[in-house]
Each structure stands twice: as C-alpha cells, then as structure tokens.
Amino acid sequence: MEKEKILALTAVELGKAIAAGETTSVEATKAYLDQMDAVEGAIHSYVTVEAESALAAAEAADAAIKAGTLTGPLAGVPIAVKDNMCIEGSRTSCSSHILENFVPTFTATAVKRLQDAGAVILGRTNMDEFAMGSTTETSYYGPTSNPWNLEHVPGGSSGGSAAAVAADECAMALGSDTGGSIRQPASFCGVTGIKPTYGRVSRYGLIAYGSSLDQIGPLGKDVTDCATVLEMISAHDEKDSTSADRDDIKFTEALVDNVKGLKIGLPRDYFGEGLDPEVKEAVLAAAETLRLKGAIVEEFDLGLVEYAIPAYYVIACAEASSNLERFDGVKYGFRTPDYADLHSMYKKTRSEGFGPEVKRRIMLGSFVLSSGYFDAYYVKALRVKHMIKDAFDKAFEKYDVILGPCAPTTALKKGQSLSDPLKMYLGDIYTVSVNLAGLPGISLPCGYDANGLPIGLQLLGQTFDEKTIIRAAYSFEQTFVDEKKKPDLTAVEGRA
C-alpha cells in the first residue's frame, strides 16, 4: 500500500488493513518513519525516535498476525508514547535535563497492554518538562510546533503526542492529563483526546506530577481510535493502589450515532468573559447540532469556576514538590559534576537539572505545604476540590453530559504565554475542574477560526461514564466529518 494511503487511515482502519493483508506492519512502520524524516525537522514532535526497535517489533507483529496468534484491533499499528511513561530499555526523560539519560528497567502498565496487543512503538514524544506547562515550550529539548501553523504552539503538556497525530507521524499516541494536558493539545492540533476517569487507567510507570490528578489517555485521529485504545488500556492493576476494579470497559459499544433524549448541560460560567468569540460560536454550533439530532440542550449555572484555577495549582504544585524531591542526583538521573559536599550536590544538581517552570512550581508547592501556610492554602484548596466535585455531582443529577469549550482561544503563538505564567495558568480554566473532580472528558474538533486553526469541543461525563461522552462525541463527529480538515504539510516537508 502506498505511503499516502497508509497515513490517511485511522489507527483502527490501519489495523483492519494489516489484518486483511492489504499492507503489513513493516510497511506501515516504514511509512510513518518516512513521514518523520519529511516533517520532524520542522515540527519536533519526538524527543526519541526508535526506528530500529520499531521495525523489529513490526516484523514480530507481522509474523504473529500471520500465525494467527495476534488478532487485536491495533496489531501491528505504529504508535507514539509521551516521554513520561516508562518503557524498559527506552530512555524516559520527562523532557527534562535531570532525567536526560534515565533508562527504566520496567514498562508502564498502559504501554505494556498496547505492546502485548501488538502495537509498534515508534518513539517518545516531546512534552512540557515534567508535564508542567500548556504549550510544550518548557521542554529541555526545545519546543514543538503546531502542524497547522509552525508559528503557533501545539498546546501541552502532551503537545508532542497531539502534534505527532496531527502531522501523521504516528497512527495514535498516548498522553497524560493532569489539568487538561490531553484535551487542550487535542483541541489546538485538531485531533481527538480522552482524559479517563481517575483510576480508570493504571498510573504504574507514569512519572508523577500530581498523583491525585494524573491520568493516562489516548490521542487519535477520531473518536473510534480513542475509544478502542481506551478499551485496551483500561484494567485493574495491583501495582497501582488508585486503580479501579471495574468491568464496564467495552467503550467501542458506545460508538453509536444516537443522542435522542440525551440531556446536555451548557454551563453559563464557561461562555462568559474571556472566551474568544470564534470559539464560542463554534462550540455553541456543536451544541445546536446535537440538539437537532435529538438531544435536550439547556443552560445552567455550574458555579465555583473562578476557584478552580487557584485550587488546582495549589494542589498540583504541592504534590509536584513532593514527587520531584526524589530527583536529587543520588540514585539516578543527572548529577552536577562540580560540587563540594552533599548539600552542595543537592542544590547544584536541582538548580542545573530543572527548568524555570518546574522550579517555579516546586517553590510554590513547598510554600503552600510549609508550616504556617498549610491550613491557609493546601487544606483550603482540598476543601474547594470537594466543593467542585459536589457541584458536578449536582449537575449530573440533571444532565448526562456537560458541553463546553476546551480552551478560551485557539493555539497561541510561540512565546505568547510563556513570558506570562499567570496567563498560561488561566488558559486551563475549562479543563482543570475535571481533574479536581476525577471526571472523564473528551476533546474533539468542532470548527476552525479565521486563521484556519482548529477549535476543540469538550464533553464531560459523570465518574466512570466514559460511554456516554463517547456516544455524544461520536454522534457529533458523524455530522462534522465532512467539515473536518487536515493541516497542509507541503510547506513543512524538509524544513529544519
């Protein structure tokens, strides 16, 4: 099969083509590696490309498929993995200098489940350092560009994964979402991403940022890809104490074009000041599309939205300061070559190894956990977190799905928010509440602004009710499919 035809297929379509003998895993892997050679110099989606091991895995997958021992929907399909999920024998750096040469001796459960299903890992995608950022500009290895416009960011922290899918540098990718890090880059890059319910996917092997907020999830070309991958990586894991033991994981059963009678709530708080008019228009048009297909759409007051950002950053930074204290130059990772004593080694290693944004969040987290401020900030933030969860629970007593924007704007220009951290934090206004409440959310394309940049629609569901948001997203996608575009990469190819 020709390269262009392979790249045009979704992950599930490619899996079917490989199973049917229309192409092979090796052929598909070579097509994606060729695409990387053409566009990666300009986009920089990856920090590590593992061509040799990918081709070896593809050959093994082809043999197993031919023998009939490998029959899953993603058997032989090339994928990418965010650089904060451990893979045995593969450098896992969290796009940070301090872990630049860290090679794990074990594999994250979510990644292992895809490997066991025959997926071929092409490499590790770029990200904001330790997942701390919304633009993929804080990476030690440099920024990733948005395939739709190289002057703009792809979002973050899973910007490398989203850009790789958008630029056809992989069939699908894994990302992680602590405060919107799957949904926001999916929105900026015009792809689809799911943040599962907290506990749905094992966090074992995910290098932690905020342990009570982090979740692994898929980024793909459409809702079907994401539902299929989520079904494959969802399972109880004894290695993760927060992993949920549930059997309602047949997410592909929710791929039904039917929203008749579905109750959808539009939070007035999400459509007020600060929302770009073009984004508002596209999201409300998506709501109208679902209404015309039989859904019941109503506005309501969610409340507490203004408290989500401060509560999230207090909790996330507090957990980050605790999680990142292990990176001190003693056991693994970077160690400064020039130090006088143990205290000097700690100080210089962390000063040289961490970037400015990570240092900022560690200091903020240490401050809110310090004596005299613990009750005033951290404990208060935990109370607000519970209040936000209660507000969502109350809303879901009336509505099946909550619909809103994913981000206040389309993709920003590079440097636009990095110079103003507060502006970057405020850009998470529509996503962080979902992590605080442990809810599932999905982002998918719903339109384009005047500059041709994608606009993302966000659908939220009650805890462990991914099926309902998948059904609503799939139904909208069936109507929007004719309007869905792809980035023009002709000007990107060969550009360094």
Side-chain angles (χ1 to χ4, degrees):
M1 188 181 288
E2 295 176 1
K3 170 189 168 183
E4 288 72 21
K5 289 183 178 179
I6 290 173
L7 300 185
L9 298 174
T10 66
V12 171
E13 289 170 345
L14 180 56
K16 289 178 180 176
I18 293 171
E22 297 169 12
T23 186
T24 65
S25 179
V26 169
E27 195 173 36
T29 300
K30 286 180 178 178
Y32 280 107
L33 291 173
D34 286 347
Q35 178 72 352
M36 285 186 219
D37 288 341
V39 304
E40 181 60 11
I43 295 175
H44 191 210
S45 295
Y46 288 84
V47 296
T48 305
V49 176
E50 298 169 328
E52 189 175 326
S53 63
L55 288 169
E59 288 179 5
D62 281 334
I65 292 167
K66 188 175 181 180
T69 57
L70 197 58
T71 59
L74 293 186
V77 174
I79 69 169
V81 177
K82 188 176 179 179
D83 194 34
N84 61 347
M85 298 173 211
C86 292
I87 301 178
E88 183 179 356
S90 173
R91 184 182 70 159
T92 306
S93 71
C94 281
S95 293
S96 175
H97 180 34
I98 208 161
L99 282 180
E100 185 178 6
N101 296 311
F102 173 60
V103 179
T105 56
F106 62 97
T107 299
T109 298
V111 178
K112 185 71 165 59
R113 289 183 67 82
L114 290 179
Q115 285 180 317
D116 290 345
V120 174
I121 297 174
L122 295 169
R124 319 307 301 279
T125 55
N126 199 19
M127 56 182 280
D128 284 297
E129 184 182 8
F130 280 101
M132 297 182 190
S134 304
T135 62
T136 314
E137 291 178 285
T138 69
S139 169
Y140 173 67
Y141 304 105
T144 296
S145 299
N146 192 314
W148 293 83
N149 186 322
L150 299 183
E151 303 303 318
H152 291 250
V153 301
S157 63
S158 305
S161 290
V165 173
D168 290 329
E169 294 185 272
C170 62
M172 62 77 50
L174 286 182
S176 66
D177 193 311
T178 306
S181 291
I182 288 174
R183 291 159 288 148
Q184 184 250 32
S187 173
F188 281 8
C189 290
V191 299
T192 301
I194 296 180
K195 181 265 172 193
T197 302
Y198 183 77
R200 175 69 84 181
V201 178
S202 172
R203 292 186 300 111
Y204 177 76
L206 173 68
I207 298 175
Y209 164 19
S211 302
S212 72
L213 307 167
D214 298 337
Q215 266 295 275
I216 293 172
L219 291 115
K221 296 181 179 181
D222 64 6
V223 177
T224 300
D225 279 2
C226 288
T228 302
V229 173
L230 183 60
E231 190 171 297
M232 295 172 70
I233 64 177
S234 296
H236 176 63
D237 184 9
E238 293 181 353
K239 296 174 182 176
D240 176 9
S241 62
T242 63
S243 174
D245 189 3
R246 299 179 67 92
D247 56 9
D248 54 340
I249 59 172
K250 297 293 184 183
F251 302 118
T252 51
E253 293 176 353
L255 298 170
V256 179
D257 186 6
N258 181 9
V259 291
K260 191 171 183 179
L262 193 74
K263 295 180 180 177
I264 298 176
L266 305 180
R268 292 188 184 92
D269 322 65
Y270 284 14
F271 293 92
E273 187 179 352
L275 180 62
D276 183 274
E278 288 182 293
V279 174
K280 181 177 181 179
E281 182 181 352
V283 172
L284 290 177
E288 178 63 11
T289 295
L290 291 170
R291 188 190 69 78
L292 292 173
K293 297 188 81 165
I296 300 165
V297 181
E298 296 177 356
E299 291 185 357
F300 76 103
D301 293 314
L302 180 61
L304 298 173
V305 172
E306 67 268 34
Y307 301 111
I309 292 289
Y312 167 79
Y313 276 99
V314 166
I315 294 169
C317 292
E319 294 182 3
S321 71
S322 177
N323 282 324
L324 269 61
E325 69 180 356
R326 72 193 73 176
F327 305 117
D328 54 14
V330 176
K331 297 183 181 67
Y332 46 76
F334 168 76
R335 178 187 295 179
T336 182
D338 182 24
Y339 58 91
D341 52 30
L342 184 63
H343 179 75
S344 169
M345 189 268 285
Y346 282 155
K347 185 175 179 180
K348 293 192 71 177
T349 293
R350 291 167 68 83
S351 294
E352 296 169 16
F354 288 131
E357 183 60 32
V358 174
K359 291 176 185 174
R360 185 180 293 117
R361 298 195 192 197
I362 289 174
M363 289 191 289
L364 178 58
S366 299
F367 172 76
V368 300
L369 291 175
S370 62
S371 177
Y373 297 99
F374 182 81
D375 289 334
Y377 292 103
Y378 186 64
V379 172
K380 189 177 288 184
L382 290 179
R383 290 196 189 107
V384 172
K385 177 183 178 181
H386 287 295
M387 290 170 66
I388 289 171
K389 179 64 168 72
D390 289 343
F392 275 108
D393 286 343
K394 186 177 179 181
F396 284 120
E397 289 176 4
K398 187 173 182 181
Y399 302 107
D400 302 307
V401 173
I402 293 175
L403 183 152
C406 200
T409 65
T410 52
L412 301 169
K413 284 191 174 182
K414 290 178 181 177
Q416 200 168 338
S417 63
L418 198 62
S419 59
D420 184 356
L422 187 58
K423 184 176 182 179
M424 180 170 66
Y425 301 162
L426 291 173
D428 298 333
I429 185 70
Y430 304 124
T431 55
V432 295
S433 295
V434 180
N435 298 79
L436 291 171
L439 304 173
I442 185 169
S443 171
L444 69 159
C446 69
Y448 305 89
D449 69 7
N451 297 315
L453 293 171
I455 296 170
L457 165 69
Q458 183 176 210
L459 300 170
L460 312 179
Q462 180 56 295
T463 309
F464 295 109
D465 191 18
E466 283 88 351
K467 287 184 179 180
T468 300
I469 60 171
I470 288 170
R471 176 161 64 99
Y474 181 80
S475 185
F476 172 75
E477 184 181 64
Q478 300 314 298
T479 303
F480 184 69
V481 67
D482 291 337
E483 300 176 45
K484 194 171 181 181
K485 304 174 185 177
K486 287 181 68 68
D488 181 7
L489 297 172
T490 53
V492 174
E493 294 183 3
R495 186 170 157 184

